[in-house]
Amino acid sequence: MSKDRLIIFDTTLRDGEQSPGASMTRDEKIRIAKMLEQMRVDVIEAGFPIASPDDFEAVKAIAQIVRESTVCGLARALDKDIERAAEAIKPAASGRIHTFIATSPIHMQNKLRMEPDAVVEQAIYAVKKARNYTDDVEFSCEDAGRSEFEFLCRIIEQAIKAGARTINIPDTVGYQIPHVFGDMVGRLIQTIPNADQAIFSVHCHNDLGLAVGNSLAAVMQGARQVECTINGLGERAGNASLEEVVMAIRTRPDVFPVETRIVTQHIVPTSRLVSGVTGFVVQPNKAIVGANAFAHESGIHQDGVLKHRETYEIMRAQDVGWSDNKIVLGKHSGRNALKTRLQELGIELATEEALNAAFSRFKDLADRKHDIYDEDLRILVLETEAHQATDTYELVSSSVCSATGETPNALVVLKVQGQELSAEAQGSGPVDAVYSAIRAITKETADLQLYSVNAITSGTDAQGEVTVRLEKAGRMVHGHGADTDIVIASAKAYVDALNKLVTQDEREHPQHSV
């Protein structure tokens, strides 16, 4: 019996980016979009073009590069938004405009300050305008989860008549419960006269931890598109997790009447890329992509898995992109061996210069760390591509004196626009001392909102991965650094964040721009 295909609509680059501190540069968005295309994601929502010039350019660049997935731009039901989105997706082989307007009483009254009739008219106008630019128009009823059923029927019927071919039912504030939400979506499909002329979609938030459950309940009731993000990234508590939705459907074909075209082996590499770019570390017990997702410590579990894997594993780790973490490279490995292994990991360096820079960093790491793992390589490439020759600040050296009963003291040397400057400072710990010295050189006053340390691999020579988040004047950026010396990694992360504060690469956070 053939199954319906479930369209996977990934909004990591749009809704995912709206997580505080998760803003991405254009080049970072392009890297993630390429990975999503390799994964065979059906629709990539590349951004909100009206939000900023940088977001517009990112969507346009992705539309020019991605050929196998539909590239989508988000737009409010406003002329300027739709026109900007249309211009951004114009180069796409397959482009979509996704326009939306709020439909719940609380949103219409308190946010839009519009009467229901006016909201319907605005929706009709927006869909018709978007259809002037593309046949692929999606319409969303923002806060549908708290909207009145009769009004949803009315506005959706009119949006379909106006030309919308995808109708999205978002649980914008994560309010719904799976059986209630699924029933609502099913009733809409059954009640709306022209429902057969559109694909029904769902976009669920995770405020109650039910985003995936709500999405799957809607699929069982006829939804044939799910909007989701890598690692469940997104505003507040996040969105439905792409990897969880996809693997639930793949693992339980006896339950779900649908299938996806996702190449699941790309899930873990893409998860790692998104985590590294955004600075949002994946929790160890996260389903599918967490470090412990396929780990077994209990003796009973270990014994069962060794005898027969399926006693405690419902999926194969390799099917979602986990490897055995075999050591394949070391200090005597050459450039071609590095390039080949990166290609096996789905990592493509754009230029020979980038490969040379990565190889130089690889050799430096191999001199300090005996065994080089796949995770080390992913972090190494991330650092290589993040480093810009035009960076304002560059870490030259850092030395710290820390002893029991003594106040730690740090001496830091930075290259600032080509000139080496140094400063010495004390702190409550070695990292605090280094950060105080960096602030003394740069005179930057940004507040440190987050400091996170994660071991990339096991062993005492493992690299430490440090993520910091800085906030200044309402603007948040993250910095990333990795090194076998955790204090050096901390310094790299702080300097990386400062460079983003003083450049135009990081755009203002989307919610602050429109």
Side-chain angles (χ1 to χ4, degrees), residues 49 75 121 223 325 427:
E121 290 304 313
N325 225 14

Side-chain angles (χ1 to χ4, degrees), residues 9 14 43-50 56 59 63 70-101 123 125-140 159 162-168 201 225 227:
F9 177 113
R14 200 278 299 171
V43 184
I44 300 172
E45 189 166 51
F48 197 175
I50 196 67
F56 170 82
V59 176
T70 295
V71 177
C72 176
L74 183 69
R76 293 168 297 182
L78 301 173
D79 284 322
K80 60 178 182 178
D81 284 44
I82 295 167
E83 290 164 4
R84 196 69 166 153
E87 189 178 352
I89 67 164
K90 191 174 181 179
S94 173
R96 173 182 294 188
I97 295 175
H98 179 190
T99 187
F100 69 95
I101 195 166
Y125 175 81
V127 171
K128 286 183 175 179
K129 184 174 181 68
R131 278 298 300 263
N132 290 331
Y133 301 102
T134 176
D135 291 337
D136 191 349
V137 174
E138 176 172 340
F139 174 71
S140 280
R165 291 297 167 257
T166 301
I167 297 295
N168 184 39
S201 171
Q225 175 176 287
E227 306 193 0

Side-chain angles (χ1 to χ4, degrees), residues 200-212:
F200 277 70
S201 171
V202 289
H203 176 120
C204 299
H205 279 262
N206 207 39
D207 298 71
L208 293 176
L210 297 171
V212 171

Side-chain angles (χ1 to χ4, degrees), residues 10 13 27-41 44 62 65-66 69 230 242 262-263 265-274 277 342-348 378 385:
D10 182 274
L13 300 177
D27 289 343
E28 289 168 342
K29 281 193 166 191
I30 290 171
R31 288 184 62 205
I32 293 172
K34 287 180 177 178
M35 288 292 284
L36 294 173
E37 183 180 28
Q38 286 181 39
M39 196 191 298
R40 298 190 71 193
V41 163
I44 300 172
I62 291 168
I65 292 168
V66 169
S69 302
I230 300 296
L242 180 148
I262 297 296
V263 181
Q265 289 79 5
H266 289 299
I267 285 175
V268 169
T270 307
S271 166
R272 291 293 175 266
L273 174 60
V274 170
V277 165
L342 291 177
Q343 289 173 340
E344 290 171 353
L345 293 172
I347 300 171
E348 181 182 349
R378 290 190 180 102
E385 295 197 344

Side-chain angles (χ1 to χ4, degrees), residues 141-426:
C141 307
E142 187 185 5
D143 202 22
R146 294 188 296 177
S147 297
E148 295 173 344
F149 184 81
E150 291 74 16
F151 183 69
L152 282 178
C153 290
R154 177 185 169 199
I155 195 169
I156 290 170
E157 180 181 359
Q158 293 303 315
I160 294 173
K161 282 183 179 179
R165 291 297 167 257
T166 301
I167 297 295
N168 184 39
I169 311 298
D171 183 24
T172 305
V173 294
Y175 175 74
Q176 280 292 340
I177 306 297
H179 75 278
V180 177
F181 187 65
D183 287 347
M184 183 183 79
V185 173
R187 285 176 60 213
L188 288 171
I189 294 171
Q190 293 167 9
T191 305
I192 297 169
N194 54 359
D196 60 329
Q197 298 175 27
I199 292 170
F200 277 70
S201 171
V202 289
H203 176 120
C204 299
H205 279 262
N206 207 39
D207 298 71
L208 293 176
L210 297 171
V212 171
N214 282 328
S215 299
L216 294 176
V219 169
M220 293 299 290
Q221 295 296 327
R224 289 298 177 261
Q225 175 176 287
V226 171
E227 306 193 0
C228 43
T229 61
I230 300 296
N231 300 337
L233 196 67
E235 289 191 84
R236 303 183 315 279
N239 290 272
S241 164
L242 180 148
E243 57 273 12
E244 293 175 24
V245 170
V246 168
M247 292 312 295
I249 288 167
R250 190 177 191 269
T251 304
R252 296 302 307 271
D254 57 318
V255 173
F256 294 102
V258 296
E259 57 190 3
T260 76
R261 69 168 195 162
I262 297 296
V263 181
T264 60
Q265 289 79 5
H266 289 299
I267 285 175
V268 169
T270 307
S271 166
R272 291 293 175 266
L273 174 60
V274 170
S275 176
V277 165
T278 61
F280 281 54
V281 177
V282 176
Q283 66 192 61
N285 61 329
K286 168 75 170 66
I288 316 300
V289 295
N292 292 346
F294 294 90
H296 306 276
E297 184 170 341
S298 163
I300 296 173
H301 286 219
Q302 290 172 344
D303 180 63
V305 169
L306 289 171
K307 289 175 178 174
H308 188 70
R309 178 188 62 81
E310 292 182 1
T311 54
Y312 286 101
E313 288 188 359
I314 60 173
M315 299 168 278
R316 288 189 346 123
Q318 294 85 349
D319 288 344
V320 296
W322 287 108
S323 69
D324 293 331
N325 225 14
K326 288 193 285 188
I327 303 162
V328 293
L329 295 172
K331 65 188 295 183
H332 300 297
S333 300
R335 250 170 44 101
N336 190 50
L338 174 65
K339 181 179 180 180
T340 300
R341 185 57 189 148
L342 291 177
Q343 289 173 340
E344 290 171 353
L345 293 172
I347 300 171
E348 181 182 349
L349 294 172
T351 63
E352 279 296 309
E353 290 77 9
L355 176 61
N356 291 337
F359 184 63
S360 176
R361 286 175 179 259
F362 164 73
K363 282 294 190 180
D364 177 64
L365 177 61
D367 284 337
R368 294 179 285 118
K369 188 176 188 292
H370 184 264
D371 299 331
I372 308 298
Y373 294 85
D374 290 348
E375 288 303 307
D376 291 311
L377 296 180
R378 290 190 180 102
I379 295 299
L380 181 147
V381 170
L382 188 66
E383 281 202 319
T384 300
E385 295 197 344
H387 178 72
Q388 302 291 326
T390 56
D391 280 349
T392 302
Y393 306 119
E394 180 183 346
L395 179 67
V396 177
S397 66
S398 172
S399 60
V400 180
C401 180
S402 181
T404 303
E406 300 293 331
T407 302
N409 188 80
L411 174 62
V412 174
V413 180
L414 295 183
K415 186 176 287 186
V416 183
Q417 296 180 334
Q419 180 182 2
E420 288 193 4
L421 301 175
S422 63
E424 194 169 352
Q426 293 183 327

